[in-house]
Amino acid sequence: MRDQLLQGIVDLDRESRLPLSEQIYRQVCIAVRDGVLPAGRRLPSSRKLASSLGVSRNTVNTAYELLKSETVVDIRTGAAPVIANRQPLDGMTNSLSAGETVIKTLSARGNSLCVNPREKLRPVDGGILEPGVPAFDLFPRETWARSLRRVSRLMSQDDVFYRHVAGLPGLRELLARYLAEERGVKAVPEQVLVTSSTQASLALLAQCFADPGETAFIEEPGYLGARGAFANADLNVLPLPVDNEGAIPPTGNQGPTPQLIYLTPSHQYPLGFAMPLARRLAFIELARTSGAFILEDDYDSEFLFSGRPVASLQGLAAGPEVIYLGTFAKTMLPGIRVAYMVVPANLSEQLSQAIRNMGMMASAPSQAALADFMAAGHYRSHLRKIRLAYQERGLALCNALRARLGNRMDVFLPAGGIQLVARFKNNEDDQHIARLLQQRGVGVSALSATYLQRPETGLIIGFSGADAPTIRRGVDEISAVLSQ
Amino acid sequence: MRDQLLQGIVDLDRESRLPLSEQIYRQVCIAVRDGVLPAGRRLPSSRKLASSLGVSRNTVNTAYELLKSETVVDIRTGAAPVIANRQPLDGMTNSLSAGETVIKTLSARGNSLCVNPREKLRPVDGGILEPGVPAFDLFPRETWARSLRRVSRLMSQDDVFYRHVAGLPGLRELLARYLAEERGVKAVPEQVLVTSSTQASLALLAQCFADPGETAFIEEPGYLGARGAFANADLNVLPLPVDNEGAIPPTGNQGPTPQLIYLTPSHQYPLGFAMPLARRLAFIELARTSGAFILEDDYDSEFLFSGRPVASLQGLAAGPEVIYLGTFAKTMLPGIRVAYMVVPANLSEQLSQAIRNMGMMASAPSQAALADFMAAGHYRSHLRKIRLAYQERGLALCNALRARLGNRMDVFLPAGGIQLVARFKNNEDDQHIARLLQQRGVGVSALSATYLQRPETGLIIGFSGADAPTIRRGVDEISAVLSQ
């Protein structure tokens, strides 16, 4: 009898590392679930099944024991095992045939959360001249690898369990000192909260400081990540137009009161302008009188080429108006997944709990290695090195674009950073052009995607990795696409 | 004249690494903002100020240049600099005095997001016999450090930029194979999504699969992290009672339809029971007919002592009813911050975007090192080693507690894992007792905190790090506190 030997039911895969006994067990379970083996059906003895399958009797016995312990089969001494009566499958066979399968779908908020925000900006990642990423060729991988190894050998239990939700104390201390010295940030180490990325910080702050339907101001054009974080938190996102002094503070008392004001005052993203003092003070005042928080995203102030960057808004503000956001994604590597925010002292403990509750704690090896790397002075010397390289590369790219394509595009001389903007004089379809360039291996972004309302068109072009041959090739490709 | 030399306004700190020129710049800005230096006020010449402050004239000139570039001061050749007219401070001085400062507060959802979910469970972290953490003494730190160093030297640009939002392909492939072999999970590598923690996975799934006000079932008692993630996503959280076969499937059609059903079928948290087949099938059926997803949290099935663990619910389900959750926090170290979920193939791409949008990508060095560590066979041998050690430690702790405190507590023999539950026979105040033990350096948790409604009282006691002296000390302390 076929069924007695479980032919067509048990089919062993000897290549699998799943033990044969477990394969037998699982396949019988499924047959029972599917009604192929009904209650009362006798199973072959372990001797017969073993010989039919070509396995040891022990293997079959182990499977039968598992089935017995799950009450799928009854085994009485001396008798063949039988599929147990209805107890273990109570009601199951009926509902299996009767019930409709309900299609599983995303929730309404899931539908917005699962959208690729860069779809319009840049359909594919990668390619030369990609904006938003540091130079991979200049990364000091040997020094970094040694830091990682050293800290992993020396780590303490406190470093790697759940103790330090807001970051390793050593890193927070180094960051507080570094930010005070370099950016005029005023903070004790307890105000520095480490997270796994700026995107995580923004998602957290959007939820912690605004309820659904409340208002967030963003820059126009501006950073898509911030726009996405606020939209995903179900906020009303309003654009602040940008001129060559950065975002323009709203005047008068019309319009909704913001809960959050997202700004990039050191180096406006993507246009690159610095915000002068008057506007800084106006925004601080707006925050002070409206109860909003300014989220100051200082994403790349480390790379301003000419002179020292203006001190941070956070340091300029007298009170708790500003939350400062920084990241190691541009100065080191995105994959390290360490960012930080500087928050008002009285909120530090509460926001740390939110980091825990949202699962946004940063990797301990990355954090410890960064602290090691900073304490040894490698971080400052790495920054000096890449600042010079970026300046050289940025100017070279700017000059090459102006010389070759100055009739088609206005190329902004970068004040710093890792990318520049070239605006089309004739408002060409930048998303189409960016797609064509992507297909040719040039990873530039369409400027229009960074606007919420009235887009200008152009390209956002990264220069961090742009050595001379890369620039030549990139400008050739852009020129070729524009001549089509 | 005092003001001419900016006494009381500029006060240099020569210990600071902030350049003296920037200190002058910043302090003048603040004085202008605060109205201490009104428009039209003459500033000292750079020569006079330099001599008064004891700095070089160059330093003062740099500061003045910064102030001029910000249009805070006017400098005409040959004349002393003056505080600029109202342009840079338009309207600022008025509003500075007039406006009320609005107190900044958390949003309504921020108030729930910023709560420490373990407040009741265990007020302080740390101490011996802490549950929920692996053995630190058995971690192979040298091998791990070598893996980290190796991968950091070999990393490619794709590994460390923004390409692989759902995890490094090598790790996803190894995980798919490992989970198929060890847990009967059915998945291609594209279904394995890597995140920074199970808490992050839960926060993400709660938002992606349920809208505010919809229902999630959790186990009672159960895992606080899941309860918190669902509550923070504004879901209606309903408890499923647990007996010694795990969670009891709801019968009949009363009550709300769930969107999410959170289960720990391999080893119920915290009580430790395994769910038999009938219940597994009933839950799969419930998911199938209700459109809910089961979130199968297989947090510690690697450590079941007796026999092989029952295969996963995910593998048992015929369709997309189950999302499987796993983590390296218990098998390796929490601080590595790498977890994973196995999702239906048709949702993999969308959920990957949600990982990006919530900033939940895991650290690239941690991921690459894990892949290296697994591929070399270190992971399986590490698991074998700690499984044996945990079994020994768990039994020793269980026996010691029963021998010494069997009259006061029912101690569950652990079927595996890293912690056990001891229930008080006389329903004592476990939160008070846990607090007293914490003060004595014993990091146990109160069982009652894991219940949503009708709590039992007891202690959750970790044994992963419990060598013989630790057990003696811990049992002594528990005994001493119970005798008070």
Side-chain angles (χ1 to χ4, degrees):
Chain A
M1 279 182 49
R2 288 175 48 118
D3 269 0
Q4 264 197 340
L5 293 177
L6 301 182
Q7 276 157 26
I9 290 176
V10 172
D11 178 18
L12 298 181
D13 174 4
R14 277 151 219 277
E15 303 287 293
S16 165
R17 290 175 65 184
L18 196 65
L20 296 171
S21 59
E22 179 136 352
Q23 293 187 39
I24 299 169
Y25 158 74
R26 299 197 65 238
Q27 294 174 18
V28 169
C29 281
I30 289 167
V32 171
R33 182 198 63 191
D34 295 347
V36 175
L37 289 175
R41 171 70 55 90
R42 269 183 54 199
L43 296 181
S45 70
S46 58
R47 189 183 52 76
K48 278 191 190 152
L49 184 57
S51 115
S52 139
L53 293 172
V55 301
S56 80
R57 200 167 157 189
N58 231 359
T59 299
V60 176
N61 278 332
T62 304
Y64 279 180
E65 279 304 314
L66 271 173
L67 290 164
K68 183 184 165 198
S69 73
E70 294 276 11
T71 70
V72 177
V73 303
D74 284 336
I75 303 181
R76 253 155 285 158
T77 321
V82 292
I83 301 298
N85 273 325
R86 41 193 58 254
Q87 305 91 308
L89 307 169
D90 241 359
M92 289 307 304
T93 39
N94 285 339
S95 54
L96 267 168
S97 46
E100 286 281 296
T101 294
V102 176
I103 301 299
K104 281 145 201 342
T105 53
L106 295 175
S107 62
R109 60 180 163 192
N111 271 315
S112 88
L113 200 52
C114 291
V115 165
N116 182 348
R118 315 169 88 208
E119 191 84 55
K120 276 170 66 188
L121 189 68
R122 189 146 40 88
V124 193
D125 282 305
I128 61 168
L129 302 183
E130 183 179 3
V133 293
F136 187 67
D137 60 335
L138 302 176
F139 187 74
R141 61 169 77 207
E142 280 297 330
T143 317
W144 172 246
R146 275 197 299 275
S147 282
L148 264 175
R149 184 185 184 186
R150 180 163 46 242
V151 299
S152 296
R153 296 166 91 173
L154 298 176
M155 64 187 170
S156 78
Q157 182 169 312
D158 275 1
D159 291 344
V160 292
F161 280 10
Y162 294 101
R163 204 83 63 245
H164 302 304
V165 286
L168 298 184
L171 180 62
R172 296 170 75 182
E173 211 166 290
L174 285 160
L175 274 171
R177 200 182 320 147
Y178 170 83
L179 293 172
E181 288 168 3
E182 298 290 330
R183 307 294 302 115
V185 168
K186 290 182 204 142
V188 294
E190 289 68 32
Q191 289 173 258
V192 180
L193 309 186
V194 177
T195 69
S196 57
S197 66
T198 293
Q199 194 61 31
S201 302
L202 289 169
L204 181 147
L205 294 168
Q207 295 200 45
C208 286
F209 291 124
D211 280 312
E214 293 187 322
T215 297
F217 289 166
I218 60 166
E219 298 165 327
E220 165 89 341
Y223 178 53
L224 286 179
R227 192 205 295 175
F230 300 152
N232 289 332
D234 216 7
L235 305 188
N236 174 31
V237 181
L238 294 184
L240 294 174
V242 166
D243 64 15
N244 59 7
E245 298 191 335
I248 302 172
T251 51
N253 289 318
Q254 309 99 316
T257 304
Q259 301 296 316
L260 295 170
I261 305 170
Y262 174 85
L263 295 176
T264 53
S266 300
H267 192 222
Q268 201 274 330
Y269 179 87
L271 299 182
F273 302 110
M275 185 182 286
L277 185 65
R279 288 214 178 153
R280 291 174 179 249
L281 293 171
F283 273 115
I284 291 171
E285 193 55 24
L286 174 62
R288 204 170 69 80
T289 54
S290 66
F293 277 105
I294 293 172
L295 308 185
E296 177 183 23
D297 190 348
D298 209 33
Y299 63 105
D300 74 351
S301 65
E302 293 87 354
F303 310 128
L304 294 188
F305 304 148
S306 45
R308 295 181 65 81
V310 175
S312 67
L313 264 188
Q314 195 271 359
L316 189 62
E321 293 85 1
V322 182
I323 290 176
Y324 178 94
L325 301 170
T327 178
F328 288 101
K330 316 291 180 205
T331 56
M332 295 287 284
L333 291 171
I336 287 173
R337 312 297 302 159
V338 180
Y340 45 89
M341 47 187 177
V342 180
V343 305
N346 66 322
L347 294 171
S348 159
E349 182 49 42
Q350 286 170 295
L351 293 173
S352 301
Q353 295 307 331
I355 291 175
R356 186 203 289 268
N357 291 337
M358 295 179 82
M360 289 173 174
M361 290 151 73
S363 143
S366 288
Q367 288 186 68
L370 280 171
D372 183 80
F373 193 83
M374 288 177 89
H378 299 316
Y379 189 60
R380 280 184 203 265
S381 62
H382 176 56
L383 286 181
R384 266 195 303 276
K385 185 173 83 174
I386 56 178
R387 189 183 298 124
L388 283 174
Y390 290 176
Q391 178 161 24
E392 203 178 293
R393 291 172 176 188
L395 291 179
L397 176 65
C398 178
N399 290 335
L401 286 168
R402 283 178 171 174
R404 186 82 164 275
L405 297 163
N407 58 329
R408 302 286 293 275
M409 326 173 91
D410 288 319
V411 184
F412 288 68
L413 181 71
I418 51 184
Q419 61 233 338
L420 58 74
V421 166
R423 213 131 64 168
F424 288 123
K425 294 187 184 203
N426 296 320
N427 229 22
E428 325 206 20
D429 181 349
D430 58 354
Q431 300 193 21
H432 177 63
I433 292 168
R435 256 191 304 276
L436 293 178
L437 284 166
Q438 273 283 335
Q439 288 160 10
R440 290 161 168 260
V442 182
V444 298
S445 296
L447 177 64
S448 63
T450 65
Y451 284 80
L452 200 55
Q453 295 181 341
R454 280 178 295 273
E456 307 261 357
T457 72
L459 298 176
I460 308 175
I461 310 177
F463 54 73
S464 61
D467 54 14
T470 305
I471 290 176
R472 265 196 305 279
R473 196 191 132 205
V475 176
D476 280 351
E477 297 287 1
I478 296 172
S479 170
V481 165
L482 289 184
S483 319
Q484 278 179 7
Chain B
M1 278 181 53
R2 287 175 51 117
D3 270 0
Q4 263 196 340
L5 292 177
L6 302 181
Q7 275 157 27
I9 291 176
V10 172
D11 179 18
L12 299 180
D13 175 3
R14 276 150 219 280
E15 303 287 293
S16 166
R17 289 174 67 184
L18 196 65
L20 295 172
S21 59
E22 179 136 350
Q23 293 188 38
I24 298 170
Y25 158 75
R26 301 198 63 239
Q27 293 175 17
V28 170
C29 282
I30 289 168
V32 172
R33 182 197 65 191
D34 294 348
V36 175
L37 288 175
R41 171 70 54 90
R42 268 182 55 198
L43 296 182
S45 70
S46 58
R47 190 182 52 75
K48 278 192 191 154
L49 184 57
S51 116
S52 139
L53 293 172
V55 301
S56 82
R57 200 166 157 189
N58 231 1
T59 299
V60 175
N61 278 332
T62 305
Y64 279 178
E65 279 305 315
L66 272 173
L67 289 164
K68 183 183 165 197
S69 74
E70 294 276 11
T71 70
V72 176
V73 302
D74 285 336
I75 303 183
R76 255 156 283 159
T77 322
V82 293
I83 301 298
N85 273 325
R86 41 193 58 257
Q87 302 91 308
L89 307 169
D90 243 358
M92 290 306 305
T93 40
N94 286 340
S95 54
L96 266 168
S97 44
E100 287 280 295
T101 296
V102 176
I103 300 299
K104 282 144 199 346
T105 53
L106 295 174
S107 62
R109 60 181 164 191
N111 271 316
S112 89
L113 199 52
C114 291
V115 164
N116 183 347
R118 315 169 88 208
E119 190 83 55
K120 276 170 66 187
L121 189 67
R122 190 146 39 88
V124 194
D125 281 306
I128 61 168
L129 301 183
E130 182 179 4
V133 292
F136 186 68
D137 61 334
L138 302 176
F139 187 75
R141 60 169 77 206
E142 279 297 330
T143 317
W144 173 245
R146 275 197 298 275
S147 282
L148 264 175
R149 184 185 185 187
R150 181 161 48 241
V151 298
S152 296
R153 297 166 90 173
L154 298 176
M155 65 187 170
S156 77
Q157 183 169 311
D158 276 1
D159 291 345
V160 291
F161 281 10
Y162 294 100
R163 205 82 64 246
H164 303 304
V165 287
L168 298 184
L171 180 63
R172 295 169 76 183
E173 210 166 291
L174 285 160
L175 274 170
R177 200 182 319 147
Y178 171 83
L179 293 172
E181 288 167 5
E182 296 291 330
R183 307 296 301 116
V185 168
K186 289 182 204 144
V188 294
E190 289 67 33
Q191 290 174 258
V192 180
L193 308 186
V194 177
T195 69
S196 56
S197 66
T198 293
Q199 193 61 32
S201 303
L202 290 169
L204 182 147
L205 295 168
Q207 295 202 45
C208 286
F209 292 124
D211 281 310
E214 293 188 322
T215 297
F217 289 166
I218 60 167
E219 297 166 328
E220 166 90 341
Y223 177 52
L224 285 180
R227 191 205 295 174
F230 300 152
N232 288 333
D234 216 6
L235 305 188
N236 174 31
V237 181
L238 294 183
L240 294 173
V242 166
D243 65 14
N244 60 7
E245 298 190 336
I248 303 172
T251 51
N253 289 320
Q254 311 97 316
T257 304
Q259 300 296 317
L260 296 170
I261 305 169
Y262 174 84
L263 296 175
T264 53
S266 299
H267 191 222
Q268 201 274 330
Y269 179 86
L271 298 181
F273 302 110
M275 185 182 286
L277 185 65
R279 287 213 179 155
R280 293 174 177 249
L281 293 171
F283 273 114
I284 291 171
E285 193 56 24
L286 174 62
R288 204 171 69 79
T289 54
S290 66
F293 278 105
I294 293 172
L295 308 186
E296 177 183 23
D297 190 349
D298 209 34
Y299 63 105
D300 74 352
S301 66
E302 293 87 351
F303 310 127
L304 294 187
F305 304 148
S306 46
R308 295 182 65 81
V310 175
S312 67
L313 264 187
Q314 195 272 359
L316 188 62
E321 294 84 1
V322 182
I323 290 175
Y324 178 93
L325 300 169
T327 178
F328 288 101
K330 316 291 180 205
T331 56
M332 296 286 284
L333 291 171
I336 287 173
R337 312 296 303 159
V338 180
Y340 45 89
M341 48 187 178
V342 180
V343 305
N346 65 322
L347 293 171
S348 159
E349 182 49 42
Q350 286 170 293
L351 294 173
S352 300
Q353 295 308 332
I355 290 175
R356 186 203 289 267
N357 292 335
M358 295 180 81
M360 289 173 174
M361 290 151 73
S363 143
S366 287
Q367 289 186 68
L370 280 170
D372 183 80
F373 192 84
M374 289 177 88
H378 299 315
Y379 189 60
R380 280 184 203 265
S381 62
H382 175 57
L383 287 181
R384 266 194 304 276
K385 184 173 85 175
I386 56 179
R387 189 184 297 123
L388 284 174
Y390 290 176
Q391 177 161 26
E392 205 178 290
R393 292 173 175 187
L395 292 179
L397 176 65
C398 179
N399 290 336
L401 286 167
R402 283 177 172 173
R404 186 83 163 273
L405 297 162
N407 57 330
R408 303 284 295 273
M409 328 173 88
D410 289 319
V411 184
F412 289 67
L413 182 71
I418 51 185
Q419 61 232 339
L420 58 74
V421 165
R423 215 134 61 170
F424 288 122
K425 293 188 183 200
N426 296 321
N427 229 23
E428 325 205 20
D429 180 351
D430 58 355
Q431 299 192 20
H432 177 64
I433 291 168
R435 256 191 304 276
L436 293 177
L437 284 166
Q438 273 283 334
Q439 289 159 11
R440 290 162 168 259
V442 182
V444 298
S445 296
L447 177 63
S448 63
T450 65
Y451 285 80
L452 199 55
Q453 294 181 341
R454 281 176 295 271
E456 306 260 357
T457 72
L459 297 176
I460 308 176
I461 311 177
F463 53 74
S464 61
D467 54 14
T470 304
I471 290 175
R472 266 196 305 279
R473 194 190 134 205
V475 175
D476 279 352
E477 297 287 1
I478 296 172
S479 171
V481 164
L482 289 182
S483 318
Q484 279 178 5

